Amino acid sequence: MEIASTCRSLGPQVTVVDRDLPLRRVLGPVLARVITDAAREHGVVLRTVPGGVRSIGSRTLERVDADGDLLTADVIVSAVGDVPAVDWLTDSGLTLDGGVVTDARGRVADGIVAAGDAAVVRGACRRPHWANAVEQARVAAAALLGEPHDAAHSGSSPPPP
């Protein structure tokens, strides 16, 4: 949606094709609807394709559904997700499971924290979104500094000793 918004602000027609309401999986249905409604108001066309896309050519997308529409475009940007680059940590002794597994404070081991797209809190789903990365960084920094967990959430640090 960030790419679509930027492109639309530059003038060209923009169509976002997704299996579901864009951002729904990351932000939930209410906030996703607010954002997609705003995008529509600015001229972004949203196409939901529950079956996904069968193929992407140099200037075409072929839908996988009963209609089998062929969508054409001057430019196609495929932003279908991300895979954390944590292979280099395979022999590190850290727990890896779809990312670097952390506790609720971002701690991985003594003196080691992880935050952002590569971090996954034990028992939770990885949430690759910039707002989550910012919050994880605050919490992880507070953990490294020995600050209480609430200090990271309040946006302020406790007064110096």
Side-chain angles (χ1 to χ4, degrees), residues 81-126:
D82 62 283
V83 177
V86 295
D87 291 348
W88 62 280
L89 295 168
T90 300
D91 296 324
S92 68
L94 302 177
T95 303
L96 306 176
D97 186 11
V100 179
V101 178
T102 74
D103 68 8
R105 302 277 322 269
R107 295 176 293 210
V108 177
D110 286 339
I112 300 173
V113 296
D117 292 352
V120 60
V121 177
R122 185 176 292 110
C125 294
R126 193 173 65 84

Side-chain angles (χ1 to χ4, degrees), residues 48-60:
T48 303
V49 184
V53 173
R54 176 178 293 136
S55 66
I56 300 176
S58 61
R59 291 172 61 128
T60 60

Side-chain angles (χ1 to χ4, degrees), residues 11-136:
Q13 179 182 354
V14 174
T15 301
V16 173
V17 179
D18 201 331
R19 289 178 183 223
D20 196 359
L21 181 69
L23 301 174
R24 185 178 188 278
R25 290 178 301 274
V26 176
L27 301 176
V30 174
L31 191 52
R33 176 69 60 199
V34 169
I35 292 170
T36 54
D37 285 350
R40 283 187 180 105
E41 288 174 15
H42 287 91
V44 174
V45 176
L46 301 175
R47 299 274 307 256
T48 303
V49 184
V53 173
R54 176 178 293 136
S55 66
I56 300 176
S58 61
R59 291 172 61 128
T60 60
L61 293 174
E62 184 180 359
R63 290 174 54 167
V64 177
D65 60 11
D67 296 333
D69 291 347
L70 191 64
L71 307 173
T72 60
D74 292 328
V75 176
I76 296 174
V77 176
S78 176
V80 294
D82 62 283
V83 177
V86 295
D87 291 348
W88 62 280
L89 295 168
T90 300
D91 296 324
S92 68
L94 302 177
T95 303
L96 306 176
D97 186 11
V100 179
V101 178
T102 74
D103 68 8
R105 302 277 322 269
R107 295 176 293 210
V108 177
D110 286 339
I112 300 173
V113 296
D117 292 352
V120 60
V121 177
R122 185 176 292 110
C125 294
R126 193 173 65 84
R127 295 177 40 214
H129 187 269
W130 66 266
N132 189 52
V134 169
E135 180 61 19
Q136 284 181 339

